[in-house]
Amino acid sequence: RFYHGSDGLLASRIHRIHRDDEGRLWFLGLGNPTGASRNSPSAIATYHEGRFGVFDLEGPLALGRVHSFAQGADGAWWFSGVGGIGRYLDGAWSYWNTDNGLRFGTVFALVADPREGGVFFADQNNGLGHVRPDGEITYLGERDGLIHDIIWDLDVDATGALWVATRGGL
């Protein structure tokens, strides 16, 4: 079956799919089917038990492409994209951008940190970033032993080990 706007899927340009801890699928896309995509309004759809839903982003993340989603052990929903990083926890939003610690405004990948909480993230230029549960941002790079500062993707395996896909290897 193919899904589109008439099925309740408001995003016509889907570029990422993630699953949360309840089995809900999150579709990250754009609401504007034409024109330049980088700064088109984001559109987030969910799919659970045969039904689509809409998740409205707020603040800077709503203004452009959203690249990644992760759910933290504390239940927080984390989003990253053109507007930086946002966390939705207990009905409230928190944001990180270049004004409060990010080295680059667009974040391409993030994954929940199962050991310490928060999220690991990558902007494809500045190594491995980490937003700690208290909101502090730290970075690790080549000078700290990372194989390369250009990171393309992140994931955590069943043992809690963080995998980092870089321009120089894993």
Side-chain angles (χ1 to χ4, degrees):
R1 166 141 199 207
F2 296 99
Y3 293 98
H4 47 77
S6 63
D7 296 303
L9 182 61
L10 298 178
S12 61
R13 298 168 91 179
I14 305 295
H15 52 266
R16 294 283 189 277
I17 303 171
H18 293 278
R19 180 183 310 273
D20 69 17
D21 292 346
E22 295 176 19
R24 181 183 302 113
L25 294 176
W26 290 79
F27 299 94
L28 310 181
L30 298 171
N32 181 2
T34 61
S37 62
R38 176 172 163 64
N39 293 316
S40 293
S42 62
I44 308 296
T46 60
Y47 185 78
H48 190 62
E49 296 179 349
R51 303 178 92 195
F52 281 104
V54 175
F55 185 81
D56 292 320
L57 289 174
E58 296 179 10
L61 286 172
L63 303 176
R65 182 184 297 249
V66 174
H67 293 289
S68 196
F69 167 87
Q71 184 175 17
D74 60 358
W77 292 335
W78 293 84
F79 301 87
S80 70
V82 173
I85 297 173
R87 176 184 64 197
Y88 185 76
L89 178 63
D90 297 331
W93 282 98
S94 301
Y95 298 101
W96 292 265
N97 55 39
T98 55
D99 292 337
N100 61 354
L102 292 184
R103 293 181 181 168
F104 188 68
T106 299
V107 175
F108 291 94
L110 59 78
V111 66
D113 177 351
R115 295 182 183 183
E116 295 183 29
V119 290
F120 293 105
F121 67 90
D123 62 22
Q124 295 182 338
N125 292 300
N126 293 292
L128 178 65
H130 187 249
V131 179
R132 295 182 5 181
D134 65 5
E136 182 181 339
I137 295 176
T138 58
Y139 282 89
L140 292 174
E142 289 179 50
R143 69 176 188 275
D144 304 303
L146 191 64
I147 194 169
H148 205 287
D149 282 341
I150 297 177
I151 296 175
W152 298 107
D153 204 5
L154 303 167
D155 209 345
V156 173
D157 69 19
T159 70
L162 175 65
W163 289 86
V164 181
T166 77
R167 188 177 207 174
L170 291 173

